[in-house]
């Protein structure tokens, strides 16, 4: 199987409910190339399909997988969440961070 097919299969297993409260511990369970979530500005995002498209390289996403990336993201990306919203096919919100 190709990486894209494995990523698609992993994403299909988890239904997306963008309002579902998720803890950082739950986000941290998704930190592989085939199942990759991050928290950003209170959103929990599945970025699995975006990994290979990231202009800064795959390594940056994998190093921060399963974490709250708000501070790191905002230091690099001045557009904030508007940038994330430009990639609806590769990045999907799967919940909200429950502090």
């Amino acid at each position: 199987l190709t990486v894209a097919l494995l990523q698609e299969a992993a994403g299909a297993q988890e239904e997306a409910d963008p309002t579902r409260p998720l803890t950082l511990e739950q986000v941290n369970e998704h930190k592989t190339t085939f199942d990759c979530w991050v928290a950003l500005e209170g959103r929990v995002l599945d970025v699995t399909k975006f990994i290979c498209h990231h202009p800064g390289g795959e390594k940056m996403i994998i190093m921060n997988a399963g974490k709250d990336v708000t501070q790191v993201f905002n230091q690099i990306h001045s557009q904030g969440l508007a940038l994330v919203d430009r990639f609806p096919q590769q990045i999907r919100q799967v919940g909200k961070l429950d502090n």
Side-chain angles (χ1 to χ4, degrees):
L1 290 176
T2 67
V3 170
L5 288 174
L6 289 170
Q7 290 174 338
E8 188 174 323
Q13 294 173 4
E14 191 81 38
E15 286 298 318
D17 174 2
T19 63
R20 170 176 60 160
L22 294 164
T23 65
L24 201 50
E25 289 78 23
Q26 289 172 299
V27 175
N28 193 43
E29 294 171 6
H30 303 268
K31 56 183 178 183
T32 71
T33 305
F34 306 108
D35 181 27
C36 185
W37 291 7
V38 296
L40 176 62
E41 301 281 347
R43 292 183 182 182
V44 176
L45 305 172
D46 181 342
V47 296
T48 308
K49 293 180 181 179
F50 185 69
I51 293 171
C52 61
H53 300 284
H54 186 247
E58 298 177 13
K59 184 178 178 181
M60 189 60 144
I61 292 182
I62 297 301
M63 283 177 23
N64 291 287
K67 301 176 184 174
D68 186 335
V69 299
T70 302
Q71 186 174 10
V72 170
F73 182 90
N74 287 334
Q75 288 175 351
I76 298 167
H77 305 291
S78 61
Q79 306 95 327
L81 288 172
L83 180 62
V84 170
D85 293 337
R86 290 179 31 203
F87 299 95
Q89 298 301 315
Q90 292 90 18
I91 301 173
R92 67 184 177 121
Q93 183 170 338
V94 293
K96 291 191 174 196
L97 196 58
D98 186 23
N99 300 359

